[in-house]
Amino acid sequence: MKKLILFALASLSIISCRKDDDESQATIVGTWKIDKHITRYGNGSTVTDVLDDCEIKTNITFSNDGTVSSVGYFKSDESSTNCQIHNSKGTYDYQESNKTITLLLEEEGVTTAEVENLTSNHLTLVAMQHDFDGDGTDDKLIRIFKK
């Protein structure tokens, strides 16, 4: 179940910026492939998860008509060699002015994420804030996608 929740959150992932990205061409519309999962802890440290051969196939597609679909790939446990697939469909609302995206997915419900950065070929989403390490300070799940 934790993998499904993380997948739904991954569907809201993060953008990194390079100086050669054409920000005038930046649009959320298109198919985005997962590039990185990062946990940014409240104490300032970060951990970048190594994506396995299944997770790296995960993608999300935002269409012009406000619909969204995602395909998440994951292993049921660490010893598994088989990829599990989870498909999600729904709608999205991207508010460029306050840099938020809200997803209404059929099975997962409503999820909101901060669009930390958006360029023509990178999307960075702060998918969730929660105190994962129990230190009393919120940590952030960040997902970085590439077109």
Side-chain angles (χ1 to χ4, degrees):
M1 187 61 157
K2 182 178 176 183
K3 292 263 186 186
L4 289 176
I5 292 169
L6 287 176
F7 168 73
L9 295 174
S11 298
L12 296 177
S13 290
I14 304 178
I15 298 178
S16 67
C17 182
R18 290 180 21 187
K19 291 181 182 175
D20 62 345
D21 288 339
D22 183 357
E23 293 187 27
S24 66
Q25 298 286 322
T27 177
I28 198 89
V29 174
T31 298
W32 299 90
K33 296 179 182 180
I34 192 69
D35 187 43
K36 294 180 184 174
H37 292 186
I38 299 171
T39 303
R40 188 181 300 152
Y41 292 99
N43 65 11
S45 66
T46 61
V47 174
T48 300
D49 296 329
V50 176
L51 300 175
D52 64 33
D53 57 330
C54 286
E55 292 169 317
I56 201 72
K57 298 176 188 178
T58 296
N59 65 77
I60 186 167
T61 301
F62 298 102
S63 299
N64 281 323
D65 65 0
T67 59
V68 61
S69 62
S70 64
V71 182
Y73 294 83
F74 60 94
K75 293 182 180 177
S76 57
D77 60 60
E78 291 188 25
S79 64
S80 177
T81 57
N82 297 324
C83 289
Q84 304 291 314
I85 300 172
H86 180 75
N87 292 301
S88 295
K89 292 183 181 182
T91 59
Y92 75 94
D93 180 36
Y94 174 52
Q95 296 295 318
E96 189 172 357
S97 61
N98 65 358
K99 305 257 187 236
T100 60
I101 188 164
T102 302
L103 300 174
L104 174 56
L105 300 173
E106 292 171 354
E107 292 182 22
E108 290 85 4
V110 176
T111 305
T112 300
E114 172 191 348
V115 178
E116 188 173 86
N117 197 4
L118 174 63
T119 67
S120 61
N121 59 2
H122 286 89
L123 171 63
T124 300
L125 298 175
V126 177
M128 181 179 187
Q129 295 189 45
H130 181 76
D131 184 12
F132 297 106
D133 59 4
D135 68 355
T137 305
D138 275 351
D139 310 310
K140 297 178 180 182
L141 283 181
I142 300 167
R143 301 296 178 250
I144 300 174
F145 294 87
K146 288 184 177 180
K147 263 192 184 174

